[in-house]
Amino acid sequence: MSDTITIEVPEDTTADAVELVELVAADLLVEDVSIDGMCGVY
Amino acid sequence: MLDRPLRLSPDVSVRPEPFGALLYSFGTRRLSFLKDRRLLDVVQALGTSATAREACATAGVTPEQLASYDAALVRLLRTELLQEVA
């Protein structure tokens, strides 16, 4: 089940802060993992 | 992003899971978790949809949820799991 979260951004929010909010929202649905170096895993 | 035609990158393998899906790119060696089953439905619908927005509609994404799915698709595009159709 997905969580629905409403994120309110103040009008004076900077572009960097808006991008951060967007990344946080993206993190709710997508999580990345790097498996480099996992040699020998079968 | 939503009005662009997107496709799953050809070197990406998709494994549906009860929580959503695992996506693995043989090209970038990146493993990603889709933590929402509906996002998997969106990704799978991209192949038969003219735009990402259409794929979201096909998967039943509500207007209120579009922003979150848009952000997720942007992330998948940036990490090369999705690609824009030329």
Side-chain angles (χ1 to χ4, degrees):
Chain A
M1 298 294 290
S2 63
D3 295 325
T4 301
I5 295 179
T6 300
I7 301 173
E8 296 183 357
V9 180
E11 290 183 2
D12 60 348
T13 303
T14 63
D16 288 343
V18 170
E19 183 178 358
L20 176 61
V21 169
E22 292 173 348
L23 288 175
V24 169
D27 284 344
L28 296 174
L29 297 178
V30 178
E31 181 172 346
D32 297 324
V33 177
S34 176
I35 61 173
D36 281 343
M38 292 182 66
C39 298
V41 177
Y42 300 96
Chain B
M1 183 56 57
L2 289 175
D3 295 316
R4 296 182 185 178
L6 302 176
R7 295 292 184 270
L8 197 64
S9 297
D11 59 355
V12 172
S13 173
V14 178
R15 176 173 168 168
E17 294 287 345
F19 58 81
L22 294 174
L23 268 60
Y24 179 71
S25 169
F26 289 91
T28 64
R29 291 179 53 79
R30 181 184 297 276
L31 178 65
S32 293
F33 292 81
L34 303 189
K35 296 193 284 187
D36 181 61
R37 193 73 189 206
R38 184 162 289 151
L39 180 57
L40 171 62
D41 293 339
V42 172
V43 169
Q44 291 179 324
L46 289 174
T48 56
S49 301
T51 65
R53 187 183 301 275
E54 183 178 312
C56 288
T58 299
V61 176
T62 66
E64 296 76 21
Q65 297 171 319
L66 268 179
S68 294
Y69 284 82
D70 185 22
L73 292 174
V74 168
R75 185 176 183 120
L76 292 174
L77 187 63
R78 286 180 181 169
T79 55
E80 301 180 44
L81 292 170
L82 296 180
Q83 58 185 204
E84 189 167 352
V85 179

